[in-house]
Amino acid sequence: MNTIWIFEDVNLFNLLCPHKFKQYKTCHDFDAYKKSDYIYFEEDAANKVYLIEKGKVKIGYYNEDGTEVVKAILKRGELFGEKAILGEEKRDEFAQSLDNNTSICPVGVNTMHELMRDNKTFSLRIYKFIGLKFKKLERRLQLLLFKDSKTRLMEFLNELCTDFGYDCSKTGDHIINHPYTQKDIACLIGVSRPTLNILMNELKEKKVIDFNRKQIRIYKTSA
């Protein structure tokens, strides 16, 4: 499963933003959003893709009973709304800013298709990214549907370790410096914040992990 995460190390903003292409630079702007602002809603027209220049964005949808399901929380350098490239006409999800200073680079679908048509390497990277992102989303939804809350948390910690972790040279512990709040993590694994606190403290008491606001340590003996 490790191959799913490889492409996420690439800063897609540096690769894809039209500001990097001379012919598009002069007619391209960034959009600014405050915390809780929506970039788009479900059923909106899907005519752009978006790159995060700064801030965080939540991607999700609502079940028939009105329950919010969080599919992803994306950070600087990541892409969203990419299904528009594949022909999606209406959004089946919402995108919402989680920071007060979120800056988004919107790219029209026609512009993206032009860039892809003119650069085969660029096109290949886009399709590879979309494929890997779909696989990651499928795995996360399977966890939400079929696993208990403790298992979901442990799987998510493994993801964080892959995405943001390193091994401490002195102890061999896995150190994770991550960008998420407790609320973010609770949303991503489908539990309440009080439940997440209970689960995290249980693991801390059992010497499986230690944690503070932005760092999680997974002890070597438990990894």
Side-chain angles (χ1 to χ4, degrees), residues 83-109:
K83 283 186 284 187
I85 299 171
L86 305 178
E88 179 184 67
E89 295 182 354
K90 289 188 176 181
R91 303 293 183 188
D92 61 0
E93 62 193 16
F94 66 79
Q96 183 182 31
S97 169
L98 293 179
D99 285 347
N100 273 322
N101 296 297
T102 297
S103 178
I104 301 294
C105 166
V107 186
V109 172

mmCIF file of all heavy atoms in Angstrom, residues 83-109:
data_model
loop_
_atom_site.group_PDB
_atom_site.id
_atom_site.type_symbol
_atom_site.label_atom_id
_atom_site.label_comp_id
_atom_site.label_asym_id
_atom_site.label_seq_id
_atom_site.Cartn_x
_atom_site.Cartn_y
_atom_site.Cartn_z
ATOM 1 N N LYS A 83 -11.724 16.203 -10.405
ATOM 2 C CA LYS A 83 -12.632 15.395 -11.227
ATOM 3 C C LYS A 83 -13.201 16.187 -12.405
ATOM 4 O O LYS A 83 -13.692 15.603 -13.368
ATOM 5 C CB LYS A 83 -13.761 14.819 -10.360
ATOM 6 C CG LYS A 83 -13.304 13.631 -9.512
ATOM 7 C CD LYS A 83 -14.454 12.982 -8.774
ATOM 8 C CE LYS A 83 -14.879 13.793 -7.585
ATOM 9 N NZ LYS A 83 -15.889 13.105 -6.762
ATOM 10 N N ALA A 84 -13.111 17.520 -12.332
ATOM 11 C CA ALA A 84 -13.527 18.347 -13.466
ATOM 12 C C ALA A 84 -12.688 18.046 -14.709
ATOM 13 O O ALA A 84 -13.172 18.142 -15.838
ATOM 14 C CB ALA A 84 -13.412 19.833 -13.107
ATOM 15 N N ILE A 85 -11.427 17.674 -14.484
ATOM 16 C CA ILE A 85 -10.549 17.328 -15.614
ATOM 17 C C ILE A 85 -11.083 16.109 -16.352
ATOM 18 O O ILE A 85 -10.936 15.976 -17.566
ATOM 19 C CB ILE A 85 -9.114 17.039 -15.113
ATOM 20 C CG1 ILE A 85 -8.527 18.278 -14.432
ATOM 21 C CG2 ILE A 85 -8.195 16.605 -16.267
ATOM 22 C CD1 ILE A 85 -7.209 18.014 -13.736
ATOM 23 N N LEU A 86 -11.734 15.209 -15.597
ATOM 24 C CA LEU A 86 -12.220 13.952 -16.163
ATOM 25 C C LEU A 86 -13.624 14.069 -16.738
ATOM 26 O O LEU A 86 -14.185 13.083 -17.197
ATOM 27 C CB LEU A 86 -12.195 12.860 -15.085
ATOM 28 C CG LEU A 86 -10.839 12.628 -14.396
ATOM 29 C CD1 LEU A 86 -10.972 11.556 -13.322
ATOM 30 C CD2 LEU A 86 -9.779 12.233 -15.415
ATOM 31 N N GLY A 87 -14.201 15.275 -16.710
ATOM 32 C CA GLY A 87 -15.513 15.468 -17.326
ATOM 33 C C GLY A 87 -16.666 15.666 -16.367
ATOM 34 O O GLY A 87 -17.812 15.790 -16.800
ATOM 35 N N GLU A 88 -16.396 15.689 -15.051
ATOM 36 C CA GLU A 88 -17.468 15.948 -14.093
ATOM 37 C C GLU A 88 -18.069 17.326 -14.363
ATOM 38 O O GLU A 88 -17.346 18.311 -14.506
ATOM 39 C CB GLU A 88 -16.922 15.898 -12.663
ATOM 40 C CG GLU A 88 -17.970 16.191 -11.594
ATOM 41 C CD GLU A 88 -17.371 16.238 -10.205
ATOM 42 O OE1 GLU A 88 -16.579 17.162 -9.939
ATOM 43 O OE2 GLU A 88 -17.692 15.352 -9.391
ATOM 44 N N GLU A 89 -19.406 17.404 -14.438
ATOM 45 C CA GLU A 89 -20.073 18.670 -14.734
ATOM 46 C C GLU A 89 -20.569 19.377 -13.483
ATOM 47 O O GLU A 89 -20.624 20.608 -13.446
ATOM 48 C CB GLU A 89 -21.239 18.424 -15.693
ATOM 49 C CG GLU A 89 -20.779 17.917 -17.070
ATOM 50 C CD GLU A 89 -21.938 17.722 -18.032
ATOM 51 O OE1 GLU A 89 -23.104 17.877 -17.600
ATOM 52 O OE2 GLU A 89 -21.679 17.427 -19.210
ATOM 53 N N LYS A 90 -20.955 18.602 -12.443
ATOM 54 C CA LYS A 90 -21.407 19.176 -11.187
ATOM 55 C C LYS A 90 -20.647 18.548 -10.030
ATOM 56 O O LYS A 90 -20.342 17.361 -10.051
ATOM 57 C CB LYS A 90 -22.914 18.964 -10.998
ATOM 58 C CG LYS A 90 -23.778 19.796 -11.933
ATOM 59 C CD LYS A 90 -25.246 19.669 -11.559
ATOM 60 C CE LYS A 90 -26.106 20.585 -12.436
ATOM 61 N NZ LYS A 90 -27.545 20.479 -12.065
ATOM 62 N N ARG A 91 -20.392 19.352 -9.013
ATOM 63 C CA ARG A 91 -19.654 18.862 -7.851
ATOM 64 C C ARG A 91 -20.505 17.880 -7.040
ATOM 65 O O ARG A 91 -21.709 18.102 -6.847
ATOM 66 C CB ARG A 91 -19.265 20.030 -6.936
ATOM 67 C CG ARG A 91 -18.437 21.119 -7.602
ATOM 68 C CD ARG A 91 -17.072 20.633 -7.990
ATOM 69 N NE ARG A 91 -16.277 21.727 -8.553
ATOM 70 C CZ ARG A 91 -15.095 21.548 -9.127
ATOM 71 N NH1 ARG A 91 -14.572 20.337 -9.214
ATOM 72 N NH2 ARG A 91 -14.431 22.586 -9.620
ATOM 73 N N ASP A 92 -19.868 16.826 -6.561
ATOM 74 C CA ASP A 92 -20.550 15.900 -5.656
ATOM 75 C C ASP A 92 -19.964 16.005 -4.245
ATOM 76 O O ASP A 92 -20.101 15.098 -3.429
ATOM 77 C CB ASP A 92 -20.435 14.459 -6.175
ATOM 78 C CG ASP A 92 -18.996 13.979 -6.287
ATOM 79 O OD1 ASP A 92 -18.064 14.748 -5.968
ATOM 80 O OD2 ASP A 92 -18.796 12.815 -6.700
ATOM 81 N N GLU A 93 -19.307 17.149 -3.968
ATOM 82 C CA GLU A 93 -18.674 17.380 -2.687
ATOM 83 C C GLU A 93 -18.587 18.897 -2.470
ATOM 84 O O GLU A 93 -18.850 19.676 -3.387
ATOM 85 C CB GLU A 93 -17.259 16.791 -2.681
ATOM 86 C CG GLU A 93 -16.351 17.445 -3.725
ATOM 87 C CD GLU A 93 -15.053 16.714 -3.972
ATOM 88 O OE1 GLU A 93 -14.954 15.547 -3.572
ATOM 89 O OE2 GLU A 93 -14.143 17.315 -4.567
ATOM 90 N N PHE A 94 -18.261 19.299 -1.254
ATOM 91 C CA PHE A 94 -18.000 20.715 -0.999
ATOM 92 C C PHE A 94 -16.519 20.903 -0.654
ATOM 93 O O PHE A 94 -15.830 19.960 -0.263
ATOM 94 C CB PHE A 94 -18.885 21.252 0.128
ATOM 95 C CG PHE A 94 -18.602 20.659 1.489
ATOM 96 C CD1 PHE A 94 -17.518 21.095 2.259
ATOM 97 C CD2 PHE A 94 -19.421 19.666 2.012
ATOM 98 C CE1 PHE A 94 -17.256 20.539 3.505
ATOM 99 C CE2 PHE A 94 -19.177 19.107 3.255
ATOM 100 C CZ PHE A 94 -18.085 19.543 4.000
ATOM 101 N N ALA A 95 -16.042 22.135 -0.812
ATOM 102 C CA ALA A 95 -14.686 22.504 -0.409
ATOM 103 C C ALA A 95 -14.788 23.738 0.460
ATOM 104 O O ALA A 95 -15.401 24.735 0.066
ATOM 105 C CB ALA A 95 -13.809 22.778 -1.628
ATOM 106 N N GLN A 96 -14.181 23.683 1.661
ATOM 107 C CA GLN A 96 -14.326 24.760 2.637
ATOM 108 C C GLN A 96 -12.972 25.128 3.232
ATOM 109 O O GLN A 96 -12.179 24.251 3.601
ATOM 110 C CB GLN A 96 -15.273 24.320 3.747
ATOM 111 C CG GLN A 96 -15.578 25.381 4.793
ATOM 112 C CD GLN A 96 -16.485 24.857 5.888
ATOM 113 O OE1 GLN A 96 -16.444 23.673 6.226
ATOM 114 N NE2 GLN A 96 -17.304 25.736 6.449
ATOM 115 N N SER A 97 -12.701 26.426 3.335
ATOM 116 C CA SER A 97 -11.458 26.899 3.938
ATOM 117 C C SER A 97 -11.461 26.646 5.436
ATOM 118 O O SER A 97 -12.465 26.864 6.112
ATOM 119 C CB SER A 97 -11.284 28.396 3.668
ATOM 120 O OG SER A 97 -10.224 28.933 4.438
ATOM 121 N N LEU A 98 -10.318 26.193 5.968
ATOM 122 C CA LEU A 98 -10.180 25.970 7.408
ATOM 123 C C LEU A 98 -9.287 27.007 8.077
ATOM 124 O O LEU A 98 -9.114 26.975 9.297
ATOM 125 C CB LEU A 98 -9.617 24.569 7.669
ATOM 126 C CG LEU A 98 -10.519 23.394 7.303
ATOM 127 C CD1 LEU A 98 -9.817 22.078 7.589
ATOM 128 C CD2 LEU A 98 -11.842 23.459 8.055
ATOM 129 N N ASP A 99 -8.686 27.901 7.300
ATOM 130 C CA ASP A 99 -7.807 28.934 7.844
ATOM 131 C C ASP A 99 -8.322 30.319 7.481
ATOM 132 O O ASP A 99 -9.071 30.487 6.514
ATOM 133 C CB ASP A 99 -6.381 28.777 7.299
ATOM 134 C CG ASP A 99 -5.642 27.610 7.942
ATOM 135 O OD1 ASP A 99 -6.131 27.095 8.960
ATOM 136 O OD2 ASP A 99 -4.578 27.223 7.422
ATOM 137 N N ASN A 100 -7.878 31.315 8.215
ATOM 138 C CA ASN A 100 -8.298 32.686 7.949
ATOM 139 C C ASN A 100 -7.559 33.336 6.794
ATOM 140 O O ASN A 100 -7.950 34.411 6.337
ATOM 141 C CB ASN A 100 -8.128 33.547 9.205
ATOM 142 C CG ASN A 100 -9.350 33.486 10.106
ATOM 143 O OD1 ASN A 100 -10.483 33.460 9.614
ATOM 144 N ND2 ASN A 100 -9.131 33.436 11.398
ATOM 145 N N ASN A 101 -6.461 32.723 6.364
ATOM 146 C CA ASN A 101 -5.663 33.304 5.283
ATOM 147 C C ASN A 101 -5.399 32.278 4.187
ATOM 148 O O ASN A 101 -4.267 32.118 3.740
ATOM 149 C CB ASN A 101 -4.344 33.854 5.835
ATOM 150 C CG ASN A 101 -4.546 35.001 6.797
ATOM 151 O OD1 ASN A 101 -5.052 36.048 6.421
ATOM 152 N ND2 ASN A 101 -4.173 34.788 8.058
ATOM 153 N N THR A 102 -6.446 31.590 3.762
ATOM 154 C CA THR A 102 -6.291 30.591 2.705
ATOM 155 C C THR A 102 -6.208 31.295 1.348
ATOM 156 O O THR A 102 -7.021 32.160 1.033
ATOM 157 C CB THR A 102 -7.478 29.612 2.708
ATOM 158 O OG1 THR A 102 -7.490 28.911 3.960
ATOM 159 C CG2 THR A 102 -7.355 28.596 1.576
ATOM 160 N N SER A 103 -5.221 30.906 0.563
ATOM 161 C CA SER A 103 -5.030 31.465 -0.771
ATOM 162 C C SER A 103 -5.080 30.330 -1.788
ATOM 163 O O SER A 103 -4.356 29.343 -1.668
ATOM 164 C CB SER A 103 -3.688 32.194 -0.858
ATOM 165 O OG SER A 103 -3.472 32.712 -2.160
ATOM 166 N N ILE A 104 -5.961 30.483 -2.776
ATOM 167 C CA ILE A 104 -6.221 29.422 -3.745
ATOM 168 C C ILE A 104 -5.894 29.897 -5.161
ATOM 169 O O ILE A 104 -6.235 31.014 -5.548
ATOM 170 C CB ILE A 104 -7.699 28.988 -3.696
ATOM 171 C CG1 ILE A 104 -8.077 28.494 -2.296
ATOM 172 C CG2 ILE A 104 -7.989 27.906 -4.752
ATOM 173 C CD1 ILE A 104 -7.383 27.241 -1.855
ATOM 174 N N CYS A 105 -5.257 29.026 -5.908
ATOM 175 C CA CYS A 105 -4.984 29.283 -7.321
ATOM 176 C C CYS A 105 -6.017 28.495 -8.141
ATOM 177 O O CYS A 105 -5.930 27.269 -8.237
ATOM 178 C CB CYS A 105 -3.564 28.827 -7.663
ATOM 179 S SG CYS A 105 -3.222 28.705 -9.432
ATOM 180 N N PRO A 106 -7.042 29.168 -8.715
ATOM 181 C CA PRO A 106 -8.023 28.461 -9.541
ATOM 182 C C PRO A 106 -7.509 28.329 -10.977
ATOM 183 O O PRO A 106 -6.931 29.265 -11.529
ATOM 184 C CB PRO A 106 -9.247 29.380 -9.491
ATOM 185 C CG PRO A 106 -8.674 30.745 -9.309
ATOM 186 C CD PRO A 106 -7.373 30.603 -8.569
ATOM 187 N N VAL A 107 -7.720 27.169 -11.553
ATOM 188 C CA VAL A 107 -7.289 26.920 -12.936
ATOM 189 C C VAL A 107 -8.490 26.419 -13.725
ATOM 190 O O VAL A 107 -9.080 25.390 -13.376
ATOM 191 C CB VAL A 107 -6.159 25.872 -12.996
ATOM 192 C CG1 VAL A 107 -5.636 25.742 -14.430
ATOM 193 C CG2 VAL A 107 -5.025 26.220 -12.045
ATOM 194 N N GLY A 108 -8.891 27.143 -14.754
ATOM 195 C CA GLY A 108 -10.004 26.709 -15.586
ATOM 196 C C GLY A 108 -9.724 25.366 -16.245
ATOM 197 O O GLY A 108 -8.570 25.064 -16.583
ATOM 198 N N VAL A 109 -10.762 24.561 -16.410
ATOM 199 C CA VAL A 109 -10.586 23.236 -17.008
ATOM 200 C C VAL A 109 -9.990 23.339 -18.408
ATOM 201 O O VAL A 109 -9.117 22.552 -18.786
ATOM 202 C CB VAL A 109 -11.935 22.474 -17.048
ATOM 203 C CG1 VAL A 109 -11.796 21.181 -17.851
ATOM 204 C CG2 VAL A 109 -12.397 22.153 -15.638
#
